[in-house]
mmCIF file of all heavy atoms in Angstrom:
data_model
loop_
_atom_site.group_PDB
_atom_site.id
_atom_site.type_symbol
_atom_site.label_atom_id
_atom_site.label_comp_id
_atom_site.label_asym_id
_atom_site.label_seq_id
_atom_site.Cartn_x
_atom_site.Cartn_y
_atom_site.Cartn_z
ATOM 1 N N GLU A 1 101.683 87.874 107.866
ATOM 2 C CA GLU A 1 100.997 88.111 109.183
ATOM 3 C C GLU A 1 100.853 89.593 109.381
ATOM 4 O O GLU A 1 100.047 90.042 110.233
ATOM 5 C CB GLU A 1 101.743 87.492 110.346
ATOM 6 C CG GLU A 1 101.621 85.974 110.437
ATOM 7 C CD GLU A 1 102.290 85.421 111.656
ATOM 8 O OE1 GLU A 1 102.299 86.094 112.687
ATOM 9 O OE2 GLU A 1 102.807 84.408 111.544
ATOM 10 N N PHE A 2 101.675 90.371 108.667
ATOM 11 C CA PHE A 2 101.660 91.921 109.020
ATOM 12 C C PHE A 2 101.582 92.646 107.687
ATOM 13 O O PHE A 2 102.008 92.261 106.610
ATOM 14 C CB PHE A 2 103.023 92.301 109.622
ATOM 15 C CG PHE A 2 103.193 91.776 111.041
ATOM 16 C CD1 PHE A 2 104.026 90.686 111.232
ATOM 17 C CD2 PHE A 2 102.547 92.422 112.080
ATOM 18 C CE1 PHE A 2 104.250 90.198 112.509
ATOM 19 C CE2 PHE A 2 102.775 91.917 113.400
ATOM 20 C CZ PHE A 2 103.569 90.770 113.620
ATOM 21 N N ASP A 3 100.770 93.727 107.769
ATOM 22 C CA ASP A 3 100.704 94.772 106.657
ATOM 23 C C ASP A 3 101.830 95.778 106.980
ATOM 24 O O ASP A 3 101.884 96.212 108.157
ATOM 25 C CB ASP A 3 99.410 95.468 106.570
ATOM 26 C CG ASP A 3 98.268 94.463 105.905
ATOM 27 O OD1 ASP A 3 98.743 93.485 105.383
ATOM 28 O OD2 ASP A 3 97.100 94.800 106.106
ATOM 29 N N ILE A 4 102.616 96.196 105.979
ATOM 30 C CA ILE A 4 103.633 97.072 106.190
ATOM 31 C C ILE A 4 103.483 98.302 105.290
ATOM 32 O O ILE A 4 103.265 98.152 104.079
ATOM 33 C CB ILE A 4 105.083 96.425 105.920
ATOM 34 C CG1 ILE A 4 105.247 95.294 106.889
ATOM 35 C CG2 ILE A 4 106.152 97.426 105.905
ATOM 36 C CD1 ILE A 4 106.399 94.398 106.543
ATOM 37 N N TYR A 5 103.432 99.431 105.944
ATOM 38 C CA TYR A 5 103.320 100.673 105.114
ATOM 39 C C TYR A 5 104.688 101.436 105.381
ATOM 40 O O TYR A 5 104.982 101.742 106.543
ATOM 41 C CB TYR A 5 102.190 101.575 105.634
ATOM 42 C CG TYR A 5 100.924 100.849 105.548
ATOM 43 C CD1 TYR A 5 100.332 100.067 106.691
ATOM 44 C CD2 TYR A 5 100.148 100.829 104.395
ATOM 45 C CE1 TYR A 5 99.197 99.437 106.561
ATOM 46 C CE2 TYR A 5 98.981 100.118 104.273
ATOM 47 C CZ TYR A 5 98.473 99.449 105.410
ATOM 48 O OH TYR A 5 97.328 98.740 105.306
ATOM 49 N N ALA A 6 105.372 101.682 104.297
ATOM 50 C CA ALA A 6 106.779 102.271 104.495
ATOM 51 C C ALA A 6 106.854 103.655 103.623
ATOM 52 O O ALA A 6 106.300 103.629 102.632
ATOM 53 C CB ALA A 6 107.798 101.351 104.108
ATOM 54 N N THR A 7 107.628 104.535 104.191
ATOM 55 C CA THR A 7 108.021 105.717 103.461
ATOM 56 C C THR A 7 109.554 105.725 103.450
ATOM 57 O O THR A 7 110.167 105.895 104.461
ATOM 58 C CB THR A 7 107.547 107.031 104.152
ATOM 59 O OG1 THR A 7 106.090 106.788 104.423
ATOM 60 C CG2 THR A 7 107.755 108.263 103.332
ATOM 61 N N VAL A 8 110.057 105.615 102.234
ATOM 62 C CA VAL A 8 111.607 105.661 102.077
ATOM 63 C C VAL A 8 111.946 106.903 101.398
ATOM 64 O O VAL A 8 111.213 107.359 100.360
ATOM 65 C CB VAL A 8 112.038 104.407 101.381
ATOM 66 C CG1 VAL A 8 111.826 103.207 102.140
ATOM 67 C CG2 VAL A 8 111.409 104.286 99.981
ATOM 68 N N ASP A 9 113.030 107.478 101.693
ATOM 69 C CA ASP A 9 113.616 108.666 100.973
ATOM 70 C C ASP A 9 115.111 108.685 101.072
ATOM 71 O O ASP A 9 115.681 108.106 101.996
ATOM 72 C CB ASP A 9 112.979 109.961 101.515
ATOM 73 C CG ASP A 9 113.223 110.260 102.959
ATOM 74 O OD1 ASP A 9 112.953 109.231 103.729
ATOM 75 O OD2 ASP A 9 113.732 111.283 103.257
ATOM 76 N N GLY A 10 115.764 109.324 100.165
ATOM 77 C CA GLY A 10 117.242 109.444 100.118
ATOM 78 C C GLY A 10 117.920 108.219 99.512
ATOM 79 O O GLY A 10 117.251 107.157 99.445
ATOM 80 N N GLY A 11 119.078 108.420 99.041
ATOM 81 C CA GLY A 11 119.826 107.305 98.447
ATOM 82 C C GLY A 11 119.301 106.734 97.197
ATOM 83 O O GLY A 11 118.478 107.321 96.536
ATOM 84 N N GLY A 12 119.767 105.579 96.802
ATOM 85 C CA GLY A 12 119.305 104.861 95.595
ATOM 86 C C GLY A 12 118.509 103.626 95.958
ATOM 87 O O GLY A 12 118.031 103.476 97.148
ATOM 88 N N GLU A 13 118.220 102.792 94.979
ATOM 89 C CA GLU A 13 117.282 101.675 95.202
ATOM 90 C C GLU A 13 117.944 100.673 96.208
ATOM 91 O O GLU A 13 117.134 100.208 97.045
ATOM 92 C CB GLU A 13 117.132 100.871 93.819
ATOM 93 C CG GLU A 13 116.070 99.951 93.889
ATOM 94 C CD GLU A 13 115.758 99.213 92.525
ATOM 95 O OE1 GLU A 13 116.618 99.426 91.573
ATOM 96 O OE2 GLU A 13 114.728 98.529 92.368
ATOM 97 N N VAL A 14 119.179 100.399 96.116
ATOM 98 C CA VAL A 14 119.771 99.365 97.040
ATOM 99 C C VAL A 14 119.887 99.874 98.489
ATOM 100 O O VAL A 14 119.569 99.268 99.436
ATOM 101 C CB VAL A 14 121.163 98.919 96.572
ATOM 102 C CG1 VAL A 14 121.870 98.050 97.619
ATOM 103 C CG2 VAL A 14 121.127 98.208 95.233
ATOM 104 N N GLY A 15 120.207 101.246 98.622
ATOM 105 C CA GLY A 15 120.225 101.880 99.882
ATOM 106 C C GLY A 15 118.847 101.853 100.571
ATOM 107 O O GLY A 15 118.627 101.626 101.783
ATOM 108 N N GLN A 16 117.784 102.204 99.749
ATOM 109 C CA GLN A 16 116.467 102.245 100.171
ATOM 110 C C GLN A 16 115.949 100.764 100.691
ATOM 111 O O GLN A 16 115.281 100.669 101.678
ATOM 112 C CB GLN A 16 115.528 102.850 99.219
ATOM 113 C CG GLN A 16 115.665 104.347 98.982
ATOM 114 C CD GLN A 16 114.739 104.886 98.022
ATOM 115 O OE1 GLN A 16 113.962 104.195 97.323
ATOM 116 N NE2 GLN A 16 114.665 106.219 97.964
ATOM 117 N N ALA A 17 116.394 99.893 99.916
ATOM 118 C CA ALA A 17 116.013 98.432 100.194
ATOM 119 C C ALA A 17 116.703 98.032 101.592
ATOM 120 O O ALA A 17 116.033 97.382 102.383
ATOM 121 C CB ALA A 17 116.508 97.501 99.113
ATOM 122 N N GLY A 18 117.955 98.386 101.801
ATOM 123 C CA GLY A 18 118.623 98.126 102.994
ATOM 124 C C GLY A 18 117.984 98.768 104.176
ATOM 125 O O GLY A 18 117.764 98.219 105.311
ATOM 126 N N ALA A 19 117.558 100.085 104.011
ATOM 127 C CA ALA A 19 116.872 100.833 105.059
ATOM 128 C C ALA A 19 115.485 100.174 105.403
ATOM 129 O O ALA A 19 115.160 100.081 106.639
ATOM 130 C CB ALA A 19 116.678 102.257 104.586
ATOM 131 N N LEU A 20 114.791 99.814 104.386
ATOM 132 C CA LEU A 20 113.469 99.201 104.591
ATOM 133 C C LEU A 20 113.662 97.731 105.306
ATOM 134 O O LEU A 20 112.912 97.439 106.284
ATOM 135 C CB LEU A 20 112.752 98.902 103.279
ATOM 136 C CG LEU A 20 111.356 98.328 103.304
ATOM 137 C CD1 LEU A 20 110.486 99.130 104.256
ATOM 138 C CD2 LEU A 20 110.789 98.258 101.896
ATOM 139 N N ARG A 21 114.642 96.954 104.978
ATOM 140 C CA ARG A 21 114.982 95.714 105.629
ATOM 141 C C ARG A 21 115.229 95.943 107.055
ATOM 142 O O ARG A 21 114.782 95.201 107.955
ATOM 143 C CB ARG A 21 116.037 95.018 104.879
ATOM 144 C CG ARG A 21 116.598 93.726 105.526
ATOM 145 C CD ARG A 21 117.665 93.282 104.691
ATOM 146 N NE ARG A 21 118.282 92.017 105.169
ATOM 147 C CZ ARG A 21 119.506 91.864 105.620
ATOM 148 N NH1 ARG A 21 120.324 92.921 105.621
ATOM 149 N NH2 ARG A 21 119.981 90.691 106.078
ATOM 150 N N HIS A 22 116.063 96.936 107.353
ATOM 151 C CA HIS A 22 116.447 97.257 108.755
ATOM 152 C C HIS A 22 115.189 97.722 109.534
ATOM 153 O O HIS A 22 115.045 97.329 110.686
ATOM 154 C CB HIS A 22 117.500 98.389 108.752
ATOM 155 C CG HIS A 22 118.079 98.721 110.014
ATOM 156 N ND1 HIS A 22 118.254 100.051 110.468
ATOM 157 C CD2 HIS A 22 118.553 97.994 111.017
ATOM 158 C CE1 HIS A 22 118.692 100.153 111.710
ATOM 159 N NE2 HIS A 22 118.931 98.835 112.085
ATOM 160 N N GLY A 23 114.346 98.531 108.934
ATOM 161 C CA GLY A 23 113.098 99.025 109.591
ATOM 162 C C GLY A 23 112.161 97.887 109.968
ATOM 163 O O GLY A 23 111.570 97.741 110.982
ATOM 164 N N ILE A 24 112.048 96.967 108.937
ATOM 165 C CA ILE A 24 111.128 95.801 109.167
ATOM 166 C C ILE A 24 111.661 94.869 110.264
ATOM 167 O O ILE A 24 110.892 94.432 111.103
ATOM 168 C CB ILE A 24 110.952 94.971 107.810
ATOM 169 C CG1 ILE A 24 110.180 95.767 106.830
ATOM 170 C CG2 ILE A 24 110.296 93.611 108.086
ATOM 171 C CD1 ILE A 24 110.181 95.221 105.472
ATOM 172 N N ALA A 25 112.973 94.689 110.293
ATOM 173 C CA ALA A 25 113.571 93.773 111.355
ATOM 174 C C ALA A 25 113.319 94.435 112.734
ATOM 175 O O ALA A 25 112.985 93.779 113.672
ATOM 176 C CB ALA A 25 115.025 93.610 111.050
ATOM 177 N N ARG A 26 113.416 95.740 112.820
ATOM 178 C CA ARG A 26 113.227 96.465 114.088
ATOM 179 C C ARG A 26 111.811 96.350 114.487
ATOM 180 O O ARG A 26 111.528 96.192 115.683
ATOM 181 C CB ARG A 26 113.653 97.951 113.989
ATOM 182 C CG ARG A 26 115.191 98.223 113.974
ATOM 183 C CD ARG A 26 115.433 99.622 113.767
ATOM 184 N NE ARG A 26 116.627 100.086 114.592
ATOM 185 C CZ ARG A 26 117.070 101.376 114.638
ATOM 186 N NH1 ARG A 26 116.351 102.297 113.994
ATOM 187 N NH2 ARG A 26 118.061 101.639 115.372
ATOM 188 N N ALA A 27 110.857 96.442 113.509
ATOM 189 C CA ALA A 27 109.465 96.429 113.897
ATOM 190 C C ALA A 27 109.107 94.989 114.376
ATOM 191 O O ALA A 27 108.352 94.803 115.271
ATOM 192 C CB ALA A 27 108.663 96.773 112.669
ATOM 193 N N LEU A 28 109.664 93.950 113.712
ATOM 194 C CA LEU A 28 109.446 92.592 114.112
ATOM 195 C C LEU A 28 109.938 92.347 115.543
ATOM 196 O O LEU A 28 109.239 91.629 116.367
ATOM 197 C CB LEU A 28 110.093 91.499 113.234
ATOM 198 C CG LEU A 28 109.377 91.429 111.822
ATOM 199 C CD1 LEU A 28 110.323 90.598 110.880
ATOM 200 C CD2 LEU A 28 108.109 90.755 112.025
ATOM 201 N N GLU A 29 111.123 92.911 115.859
ATOM 202 C CA GLU A 29 111.665 92.812 117.223
ATOM 203 C C GLU A 29 110.689 93.477 118.224
ATOM 204 O O GLU A 29 110.490 92.963 119.304
ATOM 205 C CB GLU A 29 113.001 93.427 117.230
ATOM 206 C CG GLU A 29 113.717 93.340 118.616
ATOM 207 C CD GLU A 29 114.742 94.309 118.909
ATOM 208 O OE1 GLU A 29 114.863 95.284 118.135
ATOM 209 O OE2 GLU A 29 115.384 94.208 119.997
ATOM 210 N N LYS A 30 110.165 94.663 117.899
ATOM 211 C CA LYS A 30 109.256 95.344 118.759
ATOM 212 C C LYS A 30 107.956 94.551 119.008
ATOM 213 O O LYS A 30 107.405 94.628 120.092
ATOM 214 C CB LYS A 30 108.873 96.756 118.202
ATOM 215 C CG LYS A 30 109.566 97.904 118.778
ATOM 216 C CD LYS A 30 109.018 99.169 118.257
ATOM 217 C CE LYS A 30 109.611 100.343 118.861
ATOM 218 N NZ LYS A 30 109.032 101.627 118.382
ATOM 219 N N SER A 31 107.526 93.855 117.873
ATOM 220 C CA SER A 31 106.264 93.060 117.965
ATOM 221 C C SER A 31 106.395 91.898 118.935
ATOM 222 O O SER A 31 105.499 91.477 119.631
ATOM 223 C CB SER A 31 105.800 92.650 116.593
ATOM 224 O OG SER A 31 106.623 91.579 116.128
ATOM 225 N N ASP A 32 107.618 91.230 118.947
ATOM 226 C CA ASP A 32 107.836 90.023 119.731
ATOM 227 C C ASP A 32 109.246 89.985 120.196
ATOM 228 O O ASP A 32 110.158 89.791 119.305
ATOM 229 C CB ASP A 32 107.432 88.783 118.978
ATOM 230 C CG ASP A 32 107.464 87.529 119.796
ATOM 231 O OD1 ASP A 32 107.786 87.683 120.988
ATOM 232 O OD2 ASP A 32 107.354 86.431 119.220
ATOM 233 N N GLU A 33 109.613 90.138 121.439
ATOM 234 C CA GLU A 33 110.900 90.206 121.911
ATOM 235 C C GLU A 33 111.611 88.940 121.673
ATOM 236 O O GLU A 33 112.863 88.925 121.531
ATOM 237 C CB GLU A 33 110.954 90.496 123.400
ATOM 238 C CG GLU A 33 112.183 91.062 124.004
ATOM 239 C CD GLU A 33 112.641 92.371 123.451
ATOM 240 O OE1 GLU A 33 111.755 93.282 123.221
ATOM 241 O OE2 GLU A 33 113.822 92.603 123.190
ATOM 242 N N ALA A 34 110.979 87.795 121.527
ATOM 243 C CA ALA A 34 111.611 86.404 121.339
ATOM 244 C C ALA A 34 112.271 86.463 119.946
ATOM 245 O O ALA A 34 113.140 85.581 119.720
ATOM 246 C CB ALA A 34 110.557 85.359 121.372
ATOM 247 N N LEU A 35 111.885 87.310 118.997
ATOM 248 C CA LEU A 35 112.387 87.352 117.644
ATOM 249 C C LEU A 35 113.796 87.962 117.552
ATOM 250 O O LEU A 35 114.512 87.944 116.610
ATOM 251 C CB LEU A 35 111.490 88.014 116.627
ATOM 252 C CG LEU A 35 110.053 87.423 116.518
ATOM 253 C CD1 LEU A 35 109.290 88.261 115.545
ATOM 254 C CD2 LEU A 35 110.245 85.943 115.968
ATOM 255 N N ARG A 36 114.188 88.626 118.690
ATOM 256 C CA ARG A 36 115.413 89.354 118.729
ATOM 257 C C ARG A 36 116.630 88.469 118.433
ATOM 258 O O ARG A 36 117.477 88.847 117.606
ATOM 259 C CB ARG A 36 115.592 90.130 120.060
ATOM 260 C CG ARG A 36 116.891 90.886 120.119
ATOM 261 C CD ARG A 36 116.984 91.756 121.495
ATOM 262 N NE ARG A 36 118.368 92.347 121.605
ATOM 263 C CZ ARG A 36 118.784 93.400 121.027
ATOM 264 N NH1 ARG A 36 117.971 94.067 120.185
ATOM 265 N NH2 ARG A 36 119.940 93.843 121.179
ATOM 266 N N ALA A 37 116.658 87.337 119.094
ATOM 267 C CA ALA A 37 117.826 86.460 118.904
ATOM 268 C C ALA A 37 118.130 86.084 117.449
ATOM 269 O O ALA A 37 119.173 86.233 116.948
ATOM 270 C CB ALA A 37 117.731 85.268 119.798
ATOM 271 N N PRO A 38 117.048 85.520 116.793
ATOM 272 C CA PRO A 38 117.443 85.137 115.361
ATOM 273 C C PRO A 38 117.773 86.254 114.439
ATOM 274 O O PRO A 38 118.572 86.194 113.578
ATOM 275 C CB PRO A 38 116.184 84.367 114.933
ATOM 276 C CG PRO A 38 115.038 84.735 115.904
ATOM 277 C CD PRO A 38 115.838 85.098 117.152
ATOM 278 N N LEU A 39 117.021 87.407 114.648
ATOM 279 C CA LEU A 39 117.265 88.602 113.805
ATOM 280 C C LEU A 39 118.752 89.143 114.062
ATOM 281 O O LEU A 39 119.411 89.534 113.157
ATOM 282 C CB LEU A 39 116.192 89.679 114.110
ATOM 283 C CG LEU A 39 114.881 89.450 113.555
ATOM 284 C CD1 LEU A 39 113.821 90.408 114.093
ATOM 285 C CD2 LEU A 39 114.827 89.391 112.067
ATOM 286 N N LYS A 40 119.077 89.156 115.312
ATOM 287 C CA LYS A 40 120.461 89.690 115.672
ATOM 288 C C LYS A 40 121.512 88.764 115.114
ATOM 289 O O LYS A 40 122.501 89.244 114.548
ATOM 290 C CB LYS A 40 120.573 89.871 117.199
ATOM 291 C CG LYS A 40 121.810 90.579 117.594
ATOM 292 C CD LYS A 40 121.624 91.243 118.950
ATOM 293 C CE LYS A 40 122.887 91.908 119.414
ATOM 294 N NZ LYS A 40 123.201 93.131 118.578
#
């Protein structure tokens, strides 16, 4: 449903993956407040 454009820097592959996952989760929460409960 969404196109995601990300810029990651610092750390290694796993750290960057975790940062990207965290950013995507925050963006989904911003898009729809009802998604906060399952993500949290």
Side-chain angles (χ1 to χ4, degrees):
E1 288 185 32
F2 293 101
D3 284 344
I4 296 168
Y5 304 93
T7 307
V8 295
D9 59 308
E13 191 177 13
V14 174
Q16 288 183 352
L20 183 54
R21 175 181 180 242
H22 185 225
I24 291 170
R26 283 177 144 186
L28 286 168
E29 181 204 6
K30 255 189 181 180
S31 72
D32 184 7
E33 199 65 37
L35 300 177
R36 180 175 170 81
L39 287 169
K40 189 157 178 69

